Amino acid sequence: DEMREQVSEIIEVAQEPEPEPVVEEDAPEMPSTGWTESEPEPTPVSGGVGDSDEFVALGQEIDGMLTYSEQANRLKSAMEMSWDLTVEIGRVEHTTGIGLGQEFRYGKTIVGKVGDSEVAIAFPESRNEEITALQSGQKGVIRASIKEYQSVLKRFEMLAE
């Protein structure tokens, strides 16, 4: 029994230090991601929903980043949120893209602006009539989530919720 207790203690001691090095290894690799995820976003955001002002700030931050990996790291937490955005509609087009859910395949996409950031928000087919009736220049609040950021187009590809 004494031998089992010693073995158990050794196993516990051996297992305890492992999580610490993992945390220490992650922190130096992506210091900005760790701070960005835990500081600015949760403070102004209630219930995981961002607003237009925060989205514009995110767009400016993303636009200023030089590498794809910097953008991807910054977008990680933003993609887990919903955004209530005041969108100025530029045009309505047929939804295209790979990896969209079945409900979006034959839907419509609004391409427009939130501040200086361009967005393309895909809507499910069930809302085609409503979306097709929208006119260029109209503004409205749309709740959407970020699917990806197209750095070549400098545009957020989003899904309506």
Side-chain angles (χ1 to χ4, degrees):
D1 285 333
E2 193 175 316
M3 184 71 152
R4 283 189 184 146
E5 287 178 29
Q6 288 176 347
V7 169
S8 294
E9 287 176 26
I10 292 170
I11 290 172
E12 288 174 22
V13 169
Q15 290 175 346
E16 286 177 29
E18 285 183 28
E20 292 177 49
V22 171
V23 172
E24 290 170 12
E25 287 172 15
D26 285 351
E29 288 177 28
M30 303 181 289
S32 61
T33 302
W35 291 112
T36 305
E37 286 175 9
S38 47
E39 299 270 334
E41 286 185 40
T43 307
V45 173
S46 58
V49 179
D51 64 22
S52 290
D53 292 339
E54 293 167 300
F55 188 82
V56 168
L58 172 71
Q60 290 169 344
E61 192 178 336
I62 296 292
D63 198 33
M65 292 179 172
L66 300 176
T67 67
Y68 173 78
S69 61
E70 283 179 320
Q71 291 176 349
N73 287 336
R74 177 61 185 95
L75 281 171
K76 191 182 244 183
S77 62
M79 291 173 76
E80 295 170 3
M81 301 171 54
S82 295
W83 296 88
D84 285 342
L85 303 176
T86 301
V87 180
E88 182 175 343
I89 297 167
R91 65 184 182 279
V92 175
E93 55 188 41
H94 293 287
T95 298
T96 58
I98 299 171
L100 291 171
Q102 187 64 39
E103 68 274 19
F104 292 96
R105 288 223 174 108
Y106 299 104
K108 300 289 183 185
T109 295
I110 289 176
V111 178
K113 292 264 192 188
V114 177
D116 291 335
S117 298
E118 187 169 324
V119 295
I121 304 173
F123 285 82
E125 182 181 8
S126 61
R127 295 182 67 183
N128 278 1
E129 193 174 319
E130 169 193 354
I131 301 306
T132 303
L134 297 173
Q135 301 293 313
S136 178
Q138 279 184 302
K139 284 188 177 182
V141 176
I142 300 170
R143 177 166 286 188
S145 57
I146 299 170
K147 182 175 177 274
E148 66 181 324
Y149 178 72
Q150 293 283 344
S151 54
V152 173
L153 300 173
K154 295 189 177 191
R155 180 167 84 182
F156 288 92
E157 301 289 327
M158 305 182 79
L159 300 175
E161 295 182 358

